[in-house]
């Protein structure tokens, strides 16, 4: 049972008498703040006091404080300073980069490992996220910092409900009613700006500092960038001010006003860009490549694998670790990137300013490089290839960003369509069906716009989307897409093409679930003949079709025939993939269900428990397939006279369906009915 009051985090690392401490007793036991303490932190006395006062309010719910304001105004620096000033107050201070959903989920779930939670090694992010949140809801003495949150819905599901911990959110969004109290952040006062410039450059020229602060609008990010440039170039404040005025005149000629935040920062960064261009052509090219990717955790080691698509000299330098480090060093010198291991991150405004500075033809060239590089690294066989999933996880946000840019600027749109399709298929394979649908629809829209709605090349997009709609329980829409995909494939590629067989196989599944088993059998038998003719009788495509056909034969009342089909599918699948693969797990479920219907619950349990073991190891604990397996296990345990075990399995299954599929999905509704029926029998 949950404790009535949130206990404090146990200091399990506290030293025994006569031993050395295993952690600094004056600071948090768990700390991942990514930034060093800023020695030039200026002002913000009242804001920090207001933040301290807000955090002093306690109770049974977490204290959540949003620091809101324009980008570049210093929200992150305030949160960072609060963490350092209050190190002795918390047992845990955990920082979560929150601008992109994938990074938010990954950072938050990373706390599971530091806490030593059992779910830490699971590949499924939602499972690790939920485990972390449950832990936080039971203990106090912690501080979470969600940095650069786009809007309230982004973090709502990550916030602990009942606890005595603290949460800081930094965001441009001012609307946090119902989730957090909002602390508005504005530009520095003029004395703070002047103090910062003089102390940072160690120059006593308050008049020039005042003029520069005026020109930069007292914006902390712009002032910090100017200070970094002066430090690297050795320029004085008056020299920098004159250079800024010269560049500002150029911007005015281009019709860009200087009164807005982004234009001020653009002016400052454009000076750094010029210095980077002078020092290293490859570093400048790397910055332009990164401008078309997601801003956080850009995996340079993976991009190096597709470097043949990049322009020289970056094509060579990014593949050489030493030269790559030199490029990063140049960019780091001007505070344009933040490196970490083989990844780099850069501010979204750096990306925007970089893109704005490109001529149309240069922008097209870099978009071609980016989309070509990412597509060259991503494996195409993602659906049944778990070995490809780690690559997709690291590149997912960047592939989607590159595809979105290519679509927006009408560059390499067929390749953008392919990227959306592959990312959608990856999301389907790993259990995010709604995310998969969104990306597959984007890919289909582009393919139809570029190729026309009657092109046979559109057929795979239609069939992939039809498969996801089938998994989401929308059978009429799935059938509509699949029948169109089948028609295009038959007309454009011929009746014996592999694409035709793929459409027939998925369509057979859909028609079967709609109750027309004889029509489904005809479709599936035709698909199997095509696959056997093209790939041979022992190919995984044949095994998948055999499994679908086995379900139809079972529905038609031939249990023995169904078991034989499923066993043949298992033999092929294990031969192709080994004994630990999601397709093996799915085939074992089919065999177990048939054995239960045949009156062999012990045999059924053996197959289903093996399926559950494989599924959890390969898909994680929160995949919809695990929910299906647990549903079957619940039915088997009922047949074996273990109603309590059945209830546990069905309850866990229902929770998985609700988290991943929602309350309206057919699997969720079936799970509710199964559990209700069991509960009624137990009364």
């Amino acid at each position: 049972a949950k404790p009535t009051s949130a206990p404090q985090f146990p200091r399990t690392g506290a030293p025994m008498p006569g031993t050395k401490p295993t952690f600094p007793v004056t600071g948090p036991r768990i700390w991942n703040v990514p930034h060093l303490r800023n020695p030039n932190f200026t002002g913000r006395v009242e804001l920090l006091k207001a933040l301290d006062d807000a955090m002093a309010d306690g109770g049974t719910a977490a204290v959540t404080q949003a620091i809101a304001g324009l980008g570049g105004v210093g929200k992150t620096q305030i949160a960072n300073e609060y963490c350092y000033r209050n190190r002795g107050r918390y047992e845990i201070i955990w920082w979560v980069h929150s601008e992109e959903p994938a990074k938010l989920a990954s950072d938050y779930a990373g706390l599971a490992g530091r806490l030593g939670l059992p779910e830490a090694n699971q590949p499924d992010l939602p499972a690790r996220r939920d485990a972390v949140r449950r832990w936080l809801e039971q203990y106090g003495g912690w501080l979470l910092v969600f940095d650069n949150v786009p809007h309230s819905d982004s973090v709502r599901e990550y916030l602990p409900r009942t606890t005595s911990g603290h949460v800081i959110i930094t965001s441009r969004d001012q609307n946090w009613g119902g989730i957090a109290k909002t602390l508005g952040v504005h530009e520095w006062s003029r004395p703070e700006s002047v103090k910062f410039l003089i102390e940072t450059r160690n120059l006593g020229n308050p008049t020039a500092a005042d003029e520069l602060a005026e020109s930069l609008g007292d914006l902390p990010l712009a002032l910090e960038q100017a200070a970094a440039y002066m430090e690297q170039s050795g320029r004085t404040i008056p020299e920098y001010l004159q250079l800024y005025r010269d560049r500002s005149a150029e911007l005015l000629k281009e019709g860009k006003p200087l009164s807005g935040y982004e234009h001020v920062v653009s002016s400052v960064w454009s000076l750094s860009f010029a210095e980077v261009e002078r020092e290293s052509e490859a570093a400048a090219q790397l910055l332009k490549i990164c401008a078309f990717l997601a801003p956080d955790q850009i995996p340079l080691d993976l991009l190096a694998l597709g470097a043949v698509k990049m322009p020289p000299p970056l094509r060579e330098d990014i593949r050489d670790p030493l030269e790559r480090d030199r490029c990063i060093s140049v960019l780091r010198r001007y505070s344009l990137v933040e490196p970490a291991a083989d990844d780099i991150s850069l501010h979204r405004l750096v990306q925007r300013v970089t893109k704005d500075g490109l001529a149309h033809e240069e922008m097209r060239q870099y978009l071609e490089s980016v989309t070509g590089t990412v597509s060259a690294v991503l494996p195409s066989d993602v659906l049944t290839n778990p070995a490809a999933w780690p690559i997709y996880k690291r590149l997912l946000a960047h592939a989607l960003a590159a595809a979105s840019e290519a679509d927006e600027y009408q560059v390499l749109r067929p390749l953008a369509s392919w990227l959306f399709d592959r990312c959608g298929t990856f999301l389907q394979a790993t259990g995010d069906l709604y995310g998969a649908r969104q990306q597959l629809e984007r890919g289909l829209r582009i393919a139809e716009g570029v190729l026309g709605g009657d092109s046979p090349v559109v057929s795979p997009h239609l069939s992939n989307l039809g498969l996801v709609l089938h998994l989401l329980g929308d059978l009429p829409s799935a059938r509509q897409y699949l029948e169109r995909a089948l028609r295009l494939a038959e007309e454009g590629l011929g009746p014996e093409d592999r694409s035709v067989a793929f459409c027939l196989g998925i369509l057979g599944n859909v028609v079967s679930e709609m109750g027309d088993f004889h029509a489904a059998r005809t479709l599936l038998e035709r698909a199997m003949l095509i696959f056997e003719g093209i790939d041979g009788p022992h190919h995984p495509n044949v095994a998948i079709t055999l499994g679908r056909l086995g379900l139809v034969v079972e529905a038609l009342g031939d249990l023995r025939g169904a078991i034989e089909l499923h066993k043949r599918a298992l033999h092929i699948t294990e031969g192709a993939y080994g004994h630990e693969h999601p397709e093996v797990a799915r085939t074992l479920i089919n065999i177990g269900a048939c054995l239960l219907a045949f009156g062999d619950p012990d045999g059924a349990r053996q197959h289903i428990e093996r399926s559950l073991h494989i599924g959890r190891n390969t898909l994680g604990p929160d995949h919809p397939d695990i929910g299906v397996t647990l549903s079957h296990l619940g039915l088997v345990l009922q047949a074996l006279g273990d109603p309590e075990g059945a209830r546990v399995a069905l309850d866990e299954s229902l929770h998985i369906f609700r988290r991943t599929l929602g309350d309206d999905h057919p699997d969720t509704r079936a799970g509710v009915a199964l559990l209700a029926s069991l509960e009624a029998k137990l009364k």
Side-chain angles (χ1 to χ4, degrees):
K2 187 176 291 185
T4 55
S5 61
Q8 293 300 304
F9 181 86
R11 276 189 178 270
T12 55
M16 298 295 291
T19 64
K20 294 181 179 180
T22 58
F23 60 89
V25 296
T26 58
R29 183 179 172 199
I30 296 177
W31 165 280
N32 80 325
V33 175
H35 310 289
L36 296 175
R37 191 170 189 177
N38 184 357
N40 300 313
F41 187 84
T42 300
R44 307 304 198 191
V45 175
E46 294 182 1
L47 288 172
L48 285 168
K49 183 180 183 303
L51 193 55
D52 270 323
D53 292 341
M55 294 304 189
D57 294 334
T60 58
V63 177
T64 304
Q65 178 70 58
I67 303 174
L70 293 172
V73 80
K75 303 179 294 294
T76 297
Q77 286 295 324
I78 293 170
N80 191 62
E81 180 68 12
Y82 179 86
C83 290
Y84 279 95
R85 291 191 183 190
N86 292 275
R87 290 192 66 161
R89 182 176 180 180
Y90 298 100
E91 302 281 358
I92 302 171
I93 297 182
W94 193 256
W95 193 283
V96 181
H97 297 89
S98 308
E99 185 171 22
E100 296 293 332
K103 180 63 173 170
L104 164 64
S106 176
D107 278 10
Y108 187 93
L111 182 55
R114 298 292 296 275
L115 292 171
L117 300 181
E119 295 85 351
N121 294 323
Q122 296 293 343
D124 189 56
L125 278 179
R128 300 205 300 274
R129 176 199 68 200
D130 292 344
V132 169
R133 189 177 62 204
R134 286 194 300 269
W135 192 97
L136 294 172
E137 287 173 348
Q138 297 180 54
Y139 295 97
W142 51 262
L143 169 66
L144 292 179
V145 179
F146 292 93
D147 190 32
N148 275 332
V149 178
H151 48 75
S152 60
D153 288 342
S154 303
V155 295
R156 192 181 300 271
E157 62 184 344
Y158 293 85
L159 298 176
R161 272 61 170 180
T162 57
T163 185
S164 59
H166 291 166
V167 178
I168 293 176
I169 296 169
T170 72
S171 177
R172 290 186 179 188
D173 193 351
Q174 300 278 352
N175 301 311
W176 290 91
I179 288 183
K181 297 179 181 178
T182 303
L183 182 65
V185 183
H186 304 285
E187 296 80 10
W188 275 333
S189 67
R190 181 55 48 79
E192 289 174 335
S193 299
V194 172
K195 179 176 182 290
F196 169 80
L197 287 170
I198 291 177
E199 291 185 355
T200 302
R201 293 296 300 125
N202 196 26
L203 296 171
N205 194 329
T207 301
D210 184 86
E211 292 181 27
L212 181 55
E214 172 71 24
S215 298
L216 298 178
D218 297 304
L219 194 71
L221 180 60
L223 292 162
E224 290 166 6
Q225 185 70 32
Y229 180 86
M230 287 185 281
E231 182 176 357
Q232 295 297 327
S233 64
R235 292 186 181 275
T236 64
I237 295 176
E239 288 172 342
Y240 179 86
L241 178 61
Q242 185 58 50
L243 187 59
Y244 174 75
R245 285 171 173 167
D246 293 340
R247 186 60 57 95
S248 297
E250 293 177 8
L251 293 175
L252 281 174
K253 290 177 183 178
E254 295 176 3
K256 297 181 178 180
L258 296 176
S259 58
Y261 161 58
E262 293 182 22
H263 299 292
V264 172
V265 174
S266 300
S267 302
V268 177
W269 282 337
S270 65
L271 301 177
S272 296
F273 297 160
E275 291 296 323
V276 170
E277 293 265 7
R278 183 181 61 80
E279 291 189 33
S280 170
E281 183 181 0
Q285 291 173 336
L286 178 59
L287 186 65
K288 293 170 185 176
I289 289 287
C290 292
F292 295 97
L293 299 168
D296 293 324
Q297 288 190 318
I298 299 172
L300 298 183
D301 57 325
L302 287 184
L303 294 183
L305 299 176
V308 68
K309 302 294 184 179
M310 295 182 182
L314 181 60
R315 180 186 305 165
E316 294 76 26
D317 288 2
I318 197 171
R319 289 185 286 196
D320 184 315
L322 182 58
E323 293 300 326
R324 187 164 69 225
D325 288 346
R326 287 172 178 162
C327 289
I328 296 172
S329 178
V330 172
L331 297 174
R332 174 69 169 167
R333 196 175 305 144
Y334 295 95
S335 303
L336 293 174
V337 301
E338 293 187 13
D342 289 317
D343 297 345
I344 62 171
S345 300
L346 65 162
H347 197 281
R348 59 194 177 278
L349 288 180
V350 174
Q351 292 182 304
R352 183 176 301 178
V353 172
T354 302
K355 286 185 287 188
D356 287 346
L358 297 176
H360 178 76
E361 185 56 33
E362 190 179 14
M363 176 178 289
R364 179 183 179 85
Q365 291 172 356
Y366 275 99
L367 264 174
E368 290 177 350
S369 293
V370 170
T371 52
T373 297
V374 173
S375 61
V377 177
L378 289 176
S380 60
D381 57 334
V382 61
L383 187 60
T384 57
N385 182 17
W389 297 351
I391 298 175
Y392 271 86
K393 286 178 181 177
R394 291 188 66 196
L395 277 174
L396 178 64
H398 307 294
L400 293 176
S404 297
E405 295 279 4
D407 183 30
E408 179 180 353
Y409 291 103
Q410 305 288 295
V411 174
L412 293 178
R413 297 184 76 216
L415 193 54
S417 176
W418 183 88
L419 286 172
F420 283 129
D421 183 83
R422 291 300 83 199
C423 290
T425 302
F426 162 71
L427 292 170
Q428 174 205 329
T430 52
D432 183 0
L433 299 180
Y434 293 100
R437 176 178 181 171
Q438 179 184 12
Q439 304 311 329
L440 291 172
E441 287 177 339
R442 296 173 76 181
L444 174 61
R445 173 184 57 79
I446 297 172
E448 289 177 324
V450 173
L451 303 169
D454 292 329
S455 170
V457 181
V458 174
S459 178
H461 293 277
L462 292 164
S463 60
N464 290 339
L465 180 55
L467 174 57
V468 169
L469 290 170
H470 164 228
L471 295 173
L472 285 169
D474 186 356
L475 299 181
S477 296
R479 183 170 187 169
Q480 178 182 355
Y481 280 102
L482 289 165
E483 287 178 342
R484 182 181 162 206
L486 179 60
R487 176 179 61 81
L488 293 179
E490 288 177 325
E491 292 175 354
L493 304 172
E496 303 299 318
D497 189 82
R498 184 182 284 107
S499 295
V500 172
F502 277 120
C503 294
L504 289 167
I506 306 169
L507 182 59
N509 242 16
V510 172
V511 171
S512 173
E513 291 193 23
M514 297 181 79
D516 192 346
F517 304 119
H518 292 286
R521 183 170 190 167
T522 300
L523 293 167
L524 292 168
E525 287 176 343
R526 182 186 166 199
M528 192 162 63
L529 286 174
I530 297 173
F531 279 134
E532 286 179 330
I534 295 174
D535 300 319
H538 303 294
H539 193 276
N541 289 335
V542 174
I544 293 172
T545 310
L546 285 168
R548 290 168 172 163
L549 186 58
L551 295 174
V552 173
V553 170
E554 179 186 355
L556 289 170
D558 183 2
L559 288 175
R560 290 184 184 275
I563 291 174
E564 289 303 314
L565 290 169
H566 290 314
K567 285 184 175 180
R568 182 184 164 196
L570 180 63
H571 176 74
I572 296 172
T573 303
E574 288 182 326
Y577 298 128
H579 297 283
E580 300 286 326
H581 191 277
E583 286 300 326
V584 173
R586 294 182 185 109
T587 307
L588 289 167
I589 294 174
N590 292 338
I591 296 175
C594 283
L595 289 173
L596 179 61
F598 201 70
D600 182 7
D602 290 311
R605 180 174 186 171
Q606 178 183 353
H607 284 79
I608 290 172
E609 287 183 340
R610 182 185 165 204
S611 173
L612 185 62
H613 173 77
I614 296 171
R616 281 174 168 163
N617 287 340
T618 57
L619 300 173
D622 212 30
H623 194 282
D625 280 8
I626 304 301
V628 173
T629 311
L630 287 165
S631 293
H632 284 287
L633 181 60
L635 294 173
V636 169
L637 292 175
Q638 283 189 68
L640 289 170
D642 182 6
E644 288 300 329
R647 177 160 58 184
V648 171
L650 292 175
D651 185 66
E652 184 181 352
S653 170
L654 182 56
H655 276 86
I656 292 173
F657 289 147
R658 281 176 166 158
R659 286 195 299 269
T660 60
L661 303 176
D663 289 335
D664 293 330
H665 192 277
D667 286 350
T668 307
R669 294 197 296 268
V672 171
L674 284 174
L675 190 58
S677 175
L678 176 60
E679 295 285 0
K681 294 177 182 178
L682 293 176
K683 289 182 179 178

